[in-house]
Amino acid sequence: MKPFTAETIKIIKQIPAGYVMTYGQVAEYAGSKRGARQVARILHSMSKKYELPWHRVVNRSGEIVIQAEAGAITQRYMLEDEGIEVDANGRVDLKKYQYKREKRHGGDE
DNA sequence: TTAGTGACAGGCA
DNA sequence: CTGCCTGCCACTA
């Protein structure tokens, strides 16, 4: 397991309900600022191996851009269930829902 | 091992 | 706002 992969999984699992993060954000926190695509790939691959809240990860515009239509519907449903408003374009308001990681208070996770 | 791919991001017209 | 091109790097076969 590459460090980037492990970090990505941890970060995604740390996103609280009711908030979302962009692929770029996750990638940056995971150690690769340009690893947005890898985050996406990891989700695509790891979501079937791990139970990740991948629905809380959206693209730079806050849109659900997942290729699998069924997945997009599921993602939207789960986001709304968490209190996030999703518009007709499958977009959320990043100004309200984008989660920003705060400084660690100690220990590692 | 190598080659190809991709749930993206960012810059430019 | 939309569309096109390039970079990026882990994953799969």
Side-chain angles (χ1 to χ4, degrees):
Chain A
M1 183 77 79
K2 299 286 187 184
F4 179 74
T5 306
E7 289 301 307
T8 298
I9 293 173
K10 288 197 306 186
I11 293 168
I12 292 173
K13 292 182 68 169
Q14 283 167 37
I15 302 175
Y19 287 90
V20 300
M21 280 183 82
T22 66
Y23 295 97
Q25 258 191 304
V26 176
E28 192 176 302
Y29 290 133
S32 294
K33 189 166 186 200
R34 304 294 163 197
R37 307 181 70 169
Q38 283 53 266
V39 174
R41 264 218 63 80
I42 289 169
L43 258 58
H44 193 105
S45 300
M46 308 315 244
S47 62
K48 42 189 175 186
K49 296 179 165 58
Y50 302 85
E51 294 176 51
L52 300 176
W54 54 271
H55 55 276
R56 294 183 190 141
V57 185
V58 295
N59 76 352
R60 63 181 177 189
S61 302
E63 296 176 277
I64 295 174
V65 293
I66 181 173
Q67 300 303 303
E69 197 169 331
I73 295 173
T74 300
Q75 178 169 21
R76 176 171 177 161
Y77 178 81
M78 288 193 286
L79 289 175
E80 294 183 314
D81 189 59
E82 294 183 351
I84 298 176
E85 299 175 73
V86 183
D87 76 9
N89 299 308
R91 220 158 76 176
V92 305
D93 190 336
L94 291 179
K95 296 190 307 300
K96 296 181 183 175
Y97 307 112
Q98 183 169 42
Y99 175 62
K100 309 217 169 178
R101 246 171 129 217
E102 294 181 33
K103 293 184 63 172
R104 301 285 197 98
H105 288 295
D108 87 305
E109 290 298 324

